[in-house]
Amino acid sequence: MTTTDTHCPYCSLQCGMRLRATDTGAAPVEVLERPEFPVNLGALCGKGRTAPAVLRPGVRLTGPLVRDAPGGELRPASWDEALDRTAAGLSAARDGHGRDAVGVFGGGGLTNEKAYLLGKFARVVLGTANIDYNGRFCMSSAAAAHRRAFGLDRGLPFPLADVARTGCVILVGANPAETMPPALRYFRELRENGGRLIVVDPRRTRTAELADLHLQPLPGGDLALALGLLHLVVADGHLDEDFIARRTTGFEAARAAAMAHWPERVERLTGVPAAQLAAAVEMFTGAPEGMVLTARGPEQHSKGTDTVGAWIDLCLATGRSGRPLSGYGCLTGQGNGQGGREHGQKADQLPGYRSIEDPAARAHVASVWGVDPERLPGPGLSAYELLDRLGRPDGVRALLVMGSNPVVSAPRAAHVTERLGALDFLAVADLVLSETARLADVVLPSAQWAEETGTLTNLEGRVILRRRAVDPPPGVRDDLAVLHGLAGRLGVPKGFPVDPEEVFEELRRASAGGPADYSGISYARIGAEDGVFWPCPEESHPGTPRMFLDRFATPDGRARFAAVAHRPAAEEPDADFPLFLTTGRVVGQYQSGAQTRRVEELAEAAPGPFVELHPALAGRLGVAEGQLLAVSSRRGRAVAPARVTDTIRPDTVFMPFHWGGEGRVNSVTNPALDPVSGMPEFKVCAVRVERAAATEAAR
C-alpha cells in the first residue's frame, strides 16, 4: 500500500510521520515512523501515534448540524442549508448593527492557508476589525517581547537541534517531557554533551527532574527572578561589555532597573534562595554559549511581555544572543502557533507579520487582494476582549469560530460561555462536536490533518507541508471550501480558492517584503528540502535557520534592552483566597482536549482533571488522595479529585486545563490582560481550596 509523508496534527514540533491508508473499518489511516524528518527523527508521543482515532466516524462530525430555535436540539442539515443560514446570520448582524458587529475567532492549529484566508474573509468579505484567535492565549507575550527586543518574532531563532550543542540552557516555565515529549531528546543530549540545564518551575516536573539546578519560584515570580539574575550578572562582573556596546541599545536603563532587585529582595519575592540565584548565574555565565527558552509559565501573565523582556535582557547582557548556539527562544505551543500569528488572523496584523496600522503594509496587501486600502478595517479587539463583549451593544453580535474551543480554553470560562449564549448567531467549524460547537446555531464539519493538504510553521520557523492521505467523509468539507462558500453567498464570488496550493501562492505574494517573508517558499521546495525556514525572500534564497547572526531586525540593527521592574500579579493570595493556583498540561491530553479526550488510549492515561497539592496542605485540609476538592476564586469554582505530591510548593495548587464541566479550571482563572500583548493571566490567581460538599461528591 502507498504511504504519505506528513506531520502530526498536534503540537508545534510538527513531528514527521508517515501515513498508510487502511481498510480495516477502524481508523482510515495508520501511523508509521518517518525517521528522516530532522525534528523528531521518527519519535512520536502517544498523541501522535493515536491521532488517526479521531478520524473515526463515531468520533468526528460527518455532516452539518443546525438549530431551528434557541434552546432547541441540533439536527442534521445539508451543506446548502448550513451555509445559507451562516451567511444569513452574519449578514443580519452586519446589516443591523454595523460591520464590527460581526466577528471571527480562529485557531493556532489552522494551516497557514486557512489562517491567511480567514483573515482575508474577515476584512474583505465581512469588513470587520473583529478577528482574533486562540493563539492570543498562548505565545502573544513572547511574541511582543521578541518584537520589542529584536524587531521580529520567530519563536526559535535557531533550529531545535542547536539546543543539544549549547553550553547551558535556562528553561523557564516549560515542561517538554509532557507537552512535547520528542523534544526532550535535545535536553538529554545537552547534558550528555557536557552542557548544563537549569529549570525554572513552581513544580518539580518530569522535565525539572533532568535539571542540574531547579529553581522553584512562587507563581508570578518569574519577572523578579530574571531581574535578580541580571543584578548578579552586573554585580559579579559577568557582563559582555563589548557585545552590549556593539550590538545593543538601552542597557543603562535596564541595568538601573535590575540593580533594584538584589538577591535578598528577590528571595523574599520569589522564595528562591539567594544561593541558588548565584549558582544559576555561575552556571549560565560559565558556559561558552547559552540559551534561555520560555514557554507559557512566564508568558501567561498580566506582566508576561515584561517578564520575557527581562529574560531576553539576561541573554543580551551576557552576549548570549545573535551568536551561534546562543539566544532567547520561545517554545511555541500550538501546532501552527507560529504561522497562525503571521498571516492575518490576529486583530492587529496583516499577512507577512505586517502591522495593520502601517500604511505601506495596508497598500501592499490591498493590492494583492484587489481592494482599496481604505476599505481595510483597522485593528480590532484582542481575543478575550472580543469574547467578553459578545452580545453586548458595543460588541460582536454574530460570530464565526474556526478551530477553537473557548468554552474550555478561555479564562473566566463560565462568563465566556454566557457571552456566547448572548449572541444573535454563532457558527462553529470544527472536526468534533466540541463544547463550543454544542452552543452553535450552525455546526460545520471540517476536514482535518490526514484529509487535507496545507502548510504549517513549526516552533523553529520551519515551513512544512502536511499532505492529504485519504479523502474526508462525504459530508465533510475543508475549511477553505467553507470560506469559499460563505464568501460567494456574501457577495464576493472570487478570491477565495479551494485549492490550498493556490491559496499559498497568493500568501507568498502577500507576505513578500514583510517581516515573515514566505515569497521564496513553494510546495515543491518544501517537499524537496523537508521544510524551509523563513524569512525566505526569493526562490534562490537558502532560507534562514539561524537569525540575528549579523544584525537584529530593528531599524539600526541593534537589539533593545527592556527596562522593566517587578510588579505583583493582578491577584495575589489574601485571607479569603490564601493559595496560588497555576495551570498547565498533562502528557495524555492536548489543549482543550476536544480531540484527545475522544481517544480511548489517551483517555485511559489521563481520564480527568485533578488538583495537585502538597502533603502539608493536604494535611491541613484533612484530605486524602482521590478525595474531591473544590477550588474557588472570585470568578468561579472547579471540582476535581486530589492528587497529593511533594513536587509542588505547599502554598500552590495545580490543575490541568483540558476538561470542561465541573473540573474546568478556566472557570477559576483570571482574565487580567497584559497591556502590550493582550495575554490573560492564566498562570496565577488566588484561590481557596476545601473538601467538596457531599452533594458534589455524589455527582
Side-chain angles (χ1 to χ4, degrees):
M1 242 179 226
T2 59
T3 60
T4 302
D5 286 353
T6 189
H7 296 269
C8 178
Y10 293 116
C11 83
S12 65
L13 288 180
Q14 284 303 292
C15 290
M17 60 170 57
R18 192 161 282 137
L19 298 182
R20 180 167 58 197
T22 67
D23 54 7
T24 62
V29 292
E30 62 178 340
V31 171
L32 307 174
E33 288 187 1
R34 185 181 161 199
E36 64 274 15
F37 186 67
V39 175
N40 64 309
L41 301 175
L44 294 168
C45 73
K47 294 185 288 292
R49 286 188 298 97
T50 60
V54 186
L55 301 177
R56 292 178 300 178
V59 175
R60 54 95 54 80
L61 293 164
T62 55
L65 303 171
V66 300
R67 197 184 309 274
D68 291 321
E73 296 294 319
L74 288 166
R75 64 165 176 82
S78 69
W79 269 100
D80 279 340
E81 181 183 9
L83 291 174
D84 286 346
R85 290 183 62 163
T86 301
L90 298 173
S91 293
R94 182 178 61 181
D95 295 345
H97 304 283
R99 297 189 306 174
D100 288 341
V102 181
V104 176
F105 198 86
L110 300 180
T111 64
N112 290 320
E113 292 80 0
K114 293 180 182 183
Y116 170 79
L117 216 60
L118 190 64
K120 181 180 179 182
F121 176 80
R123 290 165 178 126
V124 173
V125 178
L126 300 177
T128 182
N130 285 323
I131 173 172
D132 213 81
Y133 81 129
N134 62 16
R136 182 77 68 174
F137 299 158
C138 293
M139 293 75 56
S140 56
S141 289
H146 224 147
R147 290 195 305 272
R148 188 166 68 182
F150 305 130
L152 181 69
D153 159 45
R154 199 181 82 184
L156 289 183
F158 39 73
L160 189 59
D162 282 4
V163 169
R165 301 167 54 214
T166 191
C168 182
V169 171
I170 303 179
L171 186 62
V172 189
N175 184 17
E178 302 217 31
T179 60
M180 47 179 66
L184 202 63
R185 65 181 303 145
Y186 296 109
F187 298 97
R188 289 197 180 102
E189 289 174 11
L190 164 73
R191 299 199 63 208
E192 291 167 2
N193 293 338
R196 311 297 291 275
L197 176 63
I198 302 168
V199 171
V200 180
D201 200 303
R203 303 163 64 223
R204 191 171 74 248
T205 63
R206 289 172 54 200
T207 303
E209 289 174 354
L210 297 177
D212 296 282
L213 178 63
H214 176 204
L215 307 181
Q216 202 164 2
L218 285 166
D222 298 302
L223 175 53
L225 181 63
L227 290 165
L229 297 180
L230 182 56
H231 176 106
L232 286 171
V233 164
V234 175
D236 295 347
H238 295 301
L239 293 174
D240 188 330
E241 295 182 357
D242 177 67
F243 180 87
I244 292 168
R246 288 188 301 105
R247 300 203 58 190
T248 73
T249 62
F251 174 64
E252 291 305 321
R255 173 163 59 183
M259 297 318 287
H261 298 78
W262 56 92
E264 293 76 16
R265 181 188 180 209
V266 171
E267 180 174 337
R268 291 196 301 272
L269 291 171
T270 67
V272 177
Q276 288 190 2
L277 300 176
V281 169
E282 290 299 321
M283 198 176 291
F284 187 62
T285 59
E289 303 94 11
M291 298 174 179
V292 173
L293 305 178
T294 69
R296 308 302 79 75
E299 298 165 16
Q300 288 181 322
H301 293 271
S302 58
K303 52 185 174 180
T305 302
D306 284 353
T307 300
V308 174
W311 288 105
I312 292 174
D313 284 355
L314 182 66
C315 290
L316 296 177
T318 55
R320 267 74 173 163
S321 190
R323 290 176 172 171
L325 304 181
S326 291
Y328 163 76
C330 161
L331 296 179
T332 301
Q334 294 191 78
N336 200 30
Q338 181 69 56
R341 65 185 186 259
E342 295 169 359
H343 296 302
Q345 64 172 334
K346 282 179 67 181
D348 54 356
Q349 168 245 77
L350 289 171
Y353 228 142
R354 290 178 161 94
S355 168
I356 201 167
E357 298 182 276
D358 178 0
R362 294 170 64 87
H364 172 81
V365 173
S367 70
V368 174
W369 289 350
V371 299
D372 185 336
E374 296 300 317
R375 281 190 54 199
L376 298 180
L381 300 170
S382 69
Y384 181 77
E385 293 171 306
L386 189 158
L387 296 171
D388 180 48
R389 298 187 200 177
L390 294 178
R392 302 186 190 278
D394 62 342
V396 165
R397 308 294 291 268
L399 182 69
L400 171 64
V401 176
M402 187 168 280
S404 188
N405 188 19
V407 165
V408 175
S409 64
R412 199 184 171 198
H415 170 72
V416 169
T417 303
E418 291 175 1
R419 298 323 312 156
L420 286 163
L423 286 166
D424 297 341
F425 177 80
L426 172 64
V428 175
D430 210 332
L431 171 70
V432 297
L433 192 64
S434 68
E435 286 82 356
T436 304
R438 291 181 185 279
L439 302 179
D441 299 288
V442 177
V443 180
L444 305 167
S446 297
Q448 294 289 320
W449 174 53
E451 304 163 345
E452 63 178 4
T453 293
T455 63
L456 298 96
T457 307
N458 81 343
L459 78 171
E460 311 163 297
R462 187 194 304 258
V463 185
I464 55 95
L465 183 63
R466 279 195 201 154
R467 296 174 176 88
R468 178 172 177 156
V470 291
D471 293 334
V476 172
R477 293 187 184 179
D478 182 89
D479 290 328
L480 299 181
V482 170
L483 294 174
H484 174 84
L486 291 175
R489 285 167 170 80
L490 292 165
V492 185
K494 295 182 179 180
F496 290 85
V498 298
D499 175 44
E501 188 168 7
E502 186 177 347
V503 177
F504 189 78
E505 289 300 306
E506 183 177 304
L507 181 158
R508 293 175 65 188
R509 298 195 302 275
S511 74
D517 192 334
Y518 282 34
S519 58
I521 305 175
S522 65
Y523 274 29
R525 185 172 174 189
I526 296 171
E529 300 177 25
D530 239 342
V532 181
F533 290 87
W534 72 262
C536 184
E538 54 190 33
E539 292 185 11
S540 61
H541 191 281
T544 313
R546 295 171 182 85
M547 305 187 72
F548 312 138
L549 297 182
D550 299 317
R551 70 189 310 274
F552 295 98
T554 56
D556 62 3
R558 293 169 173 261
R560 305 183 188 99
F561 277 90
V564 296
H566 168 75
R567 60 183 186 272
E571 180 181 81
E572 296 203 320
D574 57 20
D576 294 325
F577 299 94
L579 297 168
F580 291 99
L581 168 73
T582 192
T583 70
R585 287 171 48 186
V586 297
V587 68
Q589 301 291 347
Y590 178 72
Q591 302 300 83
S592 75
Q595 296 182 33
T596 51
R597 282 185 273 120
R598 290 167 165 81
V599 178
E600 184 176 353
E601 180 179 326
L602 300 178
E604 288 177 356
F610 56 86
V611 182
E612 188 176 281
L613 73 165
H614 192 274
L617 176 58
R620 292 202 304 272
L621 296 173
V623 65
E625 179 80 14
Q627 289 186 307
L628 281 184
L629 289 176
V631 179
S632 304
S633 74
R634 292 174 174 83
R635 291 155 296 281
R637 63 196 266 122
V639 177
R643 182 174 292 183
V644 182
T645 174
D646 64 0
T647 61
I648 193 168
R649 296 177 56 99
D651 52 13
T652 301
V653 295
F654 166 86
M655 288 187 71
F657 60 79
H658 309 291
W659 289 271
E662 284 190 326
R664 180 177 61 185
V665 69
N666 279 324
S667 296
V668 179
T669 51
N670 192 349
L673 301 182
D674 182 289
V676 179
S677 68
M679 168 75 81
E681 192 153 73
F682 287 100
K683 285 298 181 187
V684 58
C685 68
V687 297
R688 179 175 60 249
V689 179
E690 54 204 344
R691 294 177 64 172
T695 53
E696 293 174 294
R699 287 178 194 165

